[in-house]
Amino acid sequence: MISGAAAIGVTVTALGMVLTPGPNMMYLVSRSIGQGRVAGWISLVGTEVGFVVYVMMANLGLAIVFVAVPWLYIGFKAAGAAYLAYLAWQALRPGGRGLFETREIPRDSAAKLFRMGLLTNLLNPKAVVMYLALIPQFIDPRRGHIVEQGFVLGGLHIAVSTTVNALIVLAAGAIAGFLAARPRWVVWQRRVTGTLLGTVAVLLAREVPARARV
């Protein structure tokens, strides 16, 4: 139904996006370190359900809302850029915390962990871009079954995202312990994370005026 090139393209794109620090990674790591792996797993389920929602939107025509109401899409982009910029500042500012540094956080119920994971992903600008802008580029109308292609490609992205994020949940505690014994590594981890977050924020922010003019 889909070509090998399309499958590879979506896989590589999904890997690039899921490995770039963003709201989902920040939330999963914080919960896995602060409340344990079970909390991380529950949060992960919430984030992946968010991806399923976007797959349904993109392939059942509900994404037309973003075309009919363009300011809504622009708002998503602007809010996402601002949030990523805030996360970058939190990592880079003097006395800031890195992605894998331990911290005290309130212990939330399973329902709240799931709900926050879901909301974090639904408001994640990377998810919007992935399903409304990138995946459609890999759909080939000549192969027919456009909706089915969209679901297959969306499912492939979810599989990649779930695998990588599950590994992050598993490794978060070990990485936190490793960094705790190496203060200099913590500093560089903060700098790298903050720089990546800031770069993504700038790239998203640059797209907002262009979308607004359209």
Side-chain angles (χ1 to χ4, degrees):
M1 185 182 301
I2 62 173
S3 66
I8 293 173
V10 168
T11 299
V12 171
T13 302
L15 279 172
M17 297 190 79
V18 74
L19 290 173
T20 302
N24 287 353
M25 185 183 292
M26 299 286 282
Y27 182 69
L28 292 175
V29 169
S30 66
R31 285 301 164 187
S32 299
I33 294 175
Q35 199 171 332
R37 285 181 180 172
V38 173
W41 294 126
I42 297 171
S43 302
L44 175 59
V45 172
T47 60
E48 298 311 310
V49 170
F51 282 130
V52 172
V53 171
Y54 271 118
V55 169
M56 300 294 289
M57 287 179 61
N59 290 291
L60 296 180
L62 297 180
I64 194 66
V65 171
F66 288 99
V67 178
V69 189
W71 60 263
L72 187 60
Y73 181 76
I74 296 169
F76 260 87
K77 298 278 283 189
Y83 183 54
L84 290 178
Y86 168 76
L87 294 178
W89 167 245
Q90 290 298 307
L92 294 173
R93 67 181 175 84
R97 290 183 177 273
L99 180 62
F100 289 96
E101 289 183 71
T102 57
R103 67 203 71 181
E104 290 294 328
I105 58 174
R107 298 185 67 84
D108 292 325
S109 65
K112 185 173 182 179
L113 290 169
F114 174 86
R115 183 170 65 252
M116 290 302 297
L118 175 61
L119 290 176
T120 298
N121 202 16
L122 290 179
L123 297 176
N124 182 0
K126 292 197 296 182
V128 177
V129 171
M130 187 70 190
Y131 286 102
L132 302 184
L134 296 181
I135 283 184
Q137 297 181 25
F138 296 100
I139 294 176
D140 185 356
R142 294 173 298 179
R143 290 178 172 267
H145 305 292
I146 293 177
V147 173
E148 286 84 351
Q149 287 186 60
F151 274 111
V152 172
L153 293 171
L156 182 58
H157 169 263
I158 291 175
V160 172
S161 173
T162 302
T163 301
V164 174
N165 283 325
L167 292 175
I168 289 173
V169 169
L170 283 172
I175 295 174
F178 176 84
L179 292 175
R182 297 165 176 81
R184 287 190 177 184
W185 287 51
V186 173
V187 174
W188 281 104
Q189 184 267 325
R190 284 201 298 111
R191 291 174 179 173
V192 171
T193 299
T195 300
L196 289 173
L197 287 168
T199 301
V200 176
V202 170
L203 292 174
L204 283 173
R206 289 179 60 186
E207 295 177 10
V208 172
R211 296 290 304 184
R213 286 194 297 270
V214 174

